[in-house]
Amino acid sequence: MKEGFRQCMAWLHTWTGLVVGWVLFFVFATGTPGYFQYDITRWMQPERPQVQRVAIPEADRAQVLGRALDRLEQLAPAANSWRITLPHESLSPRGWQEFSIRWEEAPKPGHERGVSGSERLDPRTGALLAGEVQPRATAGGFGLYRMHYMLHYLPYDWAIRLVGNCTMLMLLAMLSGVVAHKRIFKDFFTFRPGKGQRSWLDAHNAVSVMALPFFLMITYSGLVFFLFTYMPAGRDVQYGSNQAANKAFYDELLDRHAHAPFARPKADIAALVDQAEKRWGPDRIASVVVERHVGDGEVAEIVITHAQGGQLDFWNPAKLRFDADTGAPLPAEPNPGGDARLTQSVMLNLHEGLFAGIWGRWLYFVAGLLGCAMIGTGLVLWTVKRRRHHLASGREADEHFGVRLVEILNVATIAGLPLALAAYFWANRLLPLEIADRSAWEFHAVFAAWMGTLFYAMARPLARAWVELLWGSCLAFALVPVINALTTGRHLANSLAAGDWVFAGFDLTQLGLAALFALMAVKVQRRLLPASQKTPQPHSTTAKGAA
């Protein structure tokens, strides 16, 4: 037992942070780009043309919607669901949504969902548009986002449990850190450069306090994401633990309806859309859905849905329901799951930042980078303190295996993982378009590059490994726009001239990250390499220099 309560908390903070630090750094580094997952996917499919923002002319709305219904009736007369997407700005997926139709047929026996299809229509005339160019196969931004909790190569159940345990320990580390640092807010304004261990401690304190509310929110809401996986007892006692019981639970929780075929609505859909637009404003209607629930007395209904965005209950936008034959308003359906489900939904949307506009997403992105900095400085601080303790005990001639192992993992993760993530974008542009399992090879490129940085860190003197891998990350990010320019016609100058801020913003962000790693490399080089050149000591230079 330690001397006092704060000492116990400090000990707990140190060791919980160290044990899961590398996994958490991976989670933050791969999860942070998720706030721009749609933009990243867009960049990784350069074949897709820039979307034109064209709304349906109000004077032609009845005619255009009538043609959409004609097309749906022709293609899927016995469908279980018709959807007409109206042109609008959406936050999921981000960007302008084009005029289109979609249908889903009745599921075959033994299947949960039926065959579905979709088509794009001209918003000015309702005429069928030609199909889009087939873009290259890619895991895109969504694959990068999923990697932060699925860990890619691990089985799904193992991965989310491993990430869940690490998240729980991170929450414990943050709470114990707040308790241990009695002058935490005073220390926030303290930075002593060039003081070795004190400098690392000041940096760790500063980035930790700077975004502390974000770290607490993102950690707790991450646990809420897999609530019933981490704490299944309540559900299992009430419903059972087998697959059928789980399905029954989620059907009731999410209020899933079975659907039945319907006939073409007799109600004037254009008039109903006008009615919704008067309430919500122009271009704020996401879709018009026609469906009929299974059950006695259920009528076919028209559901008009508000565009998503601007509210924390992101997945339950406002809806208007009408009788499909008479056009009479139908009562609103209660939110599935009640207040408990609403609370969980708000927590999940806080975690994903789906409700946020462009500046809110940048705020999330910067906070995610600060999370990487918090974990990285904490990991380095541990090695600096241990190396100092090791030297003070008169064992400077010995190489401590544990400290050496942590130092290698630090340099391979903090300096090497960013390089590996840049390789993800390199692979997207350089892999042959016709290669089988192209998306999988994008992931293979990430982990192959990361493994390479680990071997590099083992083979090189640590001080040089730090500097060289930081410069490597700088070069890797700086070359992403160059490779993009050499392999596509969407180089930075073209994107800026065309006002395509998705492509321009992505390239500029890569250059910004390159500049950040260049700055880190210069700082580390000034601090570490002079000492190593005077006294070459391959396995202990990092700690000595940093301390």
Side-chain angles (χ1 to χ4, degrees):
M1 189 69 183
K2 301 296 176 182
E3 296 78 12
F5 180 68
R6 289 189 185 280
Q7 287 74 16
C8 289
M9 290 296 101
W11 178 88
L12 187 63
H13 175 76
T14 299
W15 286 100
T16 50
L18 177 68
V19 169
V20 299
W22 302 288
V23 176
L24 291 176
F25 190 91
F26 178 87
V27 169
F28 268 80
T30 54
T32 298
Y35 297 116
F36 291 97
Q37 59 170 302
Y38 299 112
D39 309 86
I40 293 173
T41 299
R42 182 74 187 84
W43 185 88
M44 296 179 81
Q45 293 182 327
E47 296 82 6
R48 290 167 52 195
Q50 189 174 5
V51 175
Q52 302 297 317
R53 303 170 68 91
V54 181
I56 298 176
E58 188 174 349
D60 300 330
R61 182 176 292 160
Q63 180 186 6
V64 171
L65 291 176
R67 288 190 175 180
L69 287 173
D70 292 342
R71 186 68 181 164
L72 284 166
E73 192 172 27
Q74 176 188 353
L75 291 169
N80 275 6
S81 174
W82 287 353
R83 175 184 293 272
I84 302 173
T85 297
L86 301 184
H88 68 283
E89 187 73 34
S90 174
L91 292 183
S92 179
R94 305 273 179 178
W96 185 257
Q97 302 305 301
E98 296 179 292
F99 186 42
S100 64
I101 58 173
R102 183 179 181 82
W103 63 91
E104 181 175 331
E105 299 178 356
K108 295 179 180 178
H111 294 77
E112 291 190 2
R113 305 187 70 87
V115 176
S116 63
S118 63
E119 287 183 344
R120 296 164 56 238
L121 303 179
D122 188 328
R124 290 159 295 200
T125 64
L128 178 64
L129 294 178
E132 284 188 322
V133 175
Q134 184 64 33
R136 66 185 63 193
T138 178
F142 188 56
L144 197 58
Y145 165 75
R146 284 166 61 90
M147 194 161 59
H148 93 281
Y149 64 89
M150 295 180 64
L151 308 181
H152 192 60
Y153 290 119
L154 289 183
Y156 178 79
D157 287 341
W158 291 18
I160 61 174
R161 283 177 170 79
L162 175 60
V163 172
N165 286 323
C166 293
T167 305
M168 180 62 76
L169 288 174
M170 178 175 175
L171 186 61
L172 189 60
M174 284 193 295
L175 295 177
S176 57
V178 171
V179 174
H181 293 88
K182 59 182 178 182
R183 299 188 306 168
I184 186 168
F185 291 105
K186 182 180 179 182
D187 288 347
F188 172 68
F189 297 99
T190 303
F191 184 69
R192 292 157 285 191
K195 301 293 183 182
Q197 179 181 329
R198 288 188 179 278
S199 299
W200 284 108
L201 180 60
D202 291 342
H204 182 66
N205 288 339
V207 294
S208 300
V209 177
M210 197 178 299
L212 183 60
F214 171 82
F215 299 146
L216 291 171
M217 178 277 293
I218 208 76
T219 306
Y220 184 76
S221 58
L223 293 171
V224 173
F225 241 98
F226 299 102
L227 169 68
F228 295 110
T229 300
Y230 301 149
M231 295 184 292
R235 179 199 59 194
D236 291 352
V237 168
Q238 187 70 23
Y239 290 84
S241 57
N242 57 34
Q243 189 172 359
N246 283 346
K247 182 178 182 307
F249 169 74
Y250 282 109
D251 284 348
E252 184 176 337
L253 177 67
L254 303 177
D255 197 21
R256 291 169 174 160
H257 296 290
H259 294 142
F262 51 83
R264 175 169 176 151
K266 296 177 182 175
D268 185 350
I269 288 185
L272 300 180
V273 170
D274 288 343
Q275 187 176 330
E277 192 172 84
K278 286 178 182 175
R279 176 177 296 195
W280 297 331
D283 301 333
R284 298 310 301 155
I285 301 174
S287 64
V288 178
V289 174
V290 184
E291 60 188 11
R292 183 165 73 87
H293 298 167
V294 172
D296 295 335
E298 294 284 359
V299 299
E301 61 183 59
I302 296 170
V303 182
I304 301 179
T305 305
H306 189 279
Q308 291 170 319
Q311 57 185 27
L312 285 175
D313 186 17
F314 188 78
W315 294 114
N316 293 301
K319 293 180 180 177
L320 296 175
R321 299 171 67 234
F322 301 94
D323 188 308
D325 290 328
T326 66
L330 296 175
E333 290 186 321
N335 283 335
D339 292 342
R341 173 66 179 165
L342 174 61
T343 303
Q344 187 196 27
S345 177
V346 169
M347 294 301 297
L348 303 190
N349 292 321
L350 278 172
H351 187 92
E352 294 188 317
L354 292 174
F355 65 93
I358 181 64
W359 295 115
R361 281 186 287 156
W362 275 112
L363 193 61
Y364 266 85
F365 185 81
V366 171
L369 293 183
L370 288 174
C372 295
M374 175 186 69
I375 298 166
T377 52
L379 288 169
V380 172
L381 178 60
W382 186 90
T383 60
V384 171
K385 290 172 67 176
R386 297 302 294 182
R387 180 66 69 184
R388 187 174 182 180
H389 173 76
H390 192 62
L391 296 177
S393 63
R395 293 178 292 168
E396 63 273 12
D398 300 331
E399 181 63 19
H400 191 281
F401 174 76
V403 178
R404 168 70 176 167
L405 176 63
V406 172
E407 288 174 333
I408 290 174
L409 292 175
N410 281 353
V411 68
T413 302
I414 299 169
L417 180 59
L419 187 154
L421 294 179
Y424 186 65
F425 305 122
W426 281 48
N428 176 264
R429 289 295 190 262
L430 297 180
L431 285 173
L433 297 179
E434 65 279 3
I435 190 175
D437 296 327
R438 196 172 187 278
S439 302
W441 280 105
E442 291 176 345
F443 288 116
H444 297 334
V446 173
F447 288 95
W450 193 15
M451 187 63 70
T453 64
L454 176 62
F455 288 125
Y456 192 86
M458 295 169 65
R460 295 286 290 164
L462 277 169
R464 292 194 175 278
W466 271 111
V467 173
E468 290 162 2
L469 285 179
L470 286 172
W471 279 118
S473 293
C474 166
L475 185 64
F477 280 116
L479 286 178
V480 171
V482 177
I483 294 173
N484 176 51
L486 294 175
T487 55
T488 74
R490 291 176 173 271
H491 56 76
L492 181 57
N494 272 353
S495 300
L496 288 172
D500 190 341
W501 286 105
V502 172
F503 275 78
F506 185 93
D507 283 352
L508 290 172
T509 301
Q510 301 303 302
L511 295 176
L513 290 172
L516 177 64
F517 279 101
L519 178 64
M520 293 170 62
V522 169
K523 292 283 186 183
V524 173
Q525 188 170 355
R526 287 176 179 171
R527 181 67 186 162
L528 297 186
L529 284 189
S532 67
Q533 289 167 355
K534 292 176 184 176
T535 310
Q537 294 183 13
H539 300 314
S540 59
T541 316
T542 298
K544 285 182 176 181

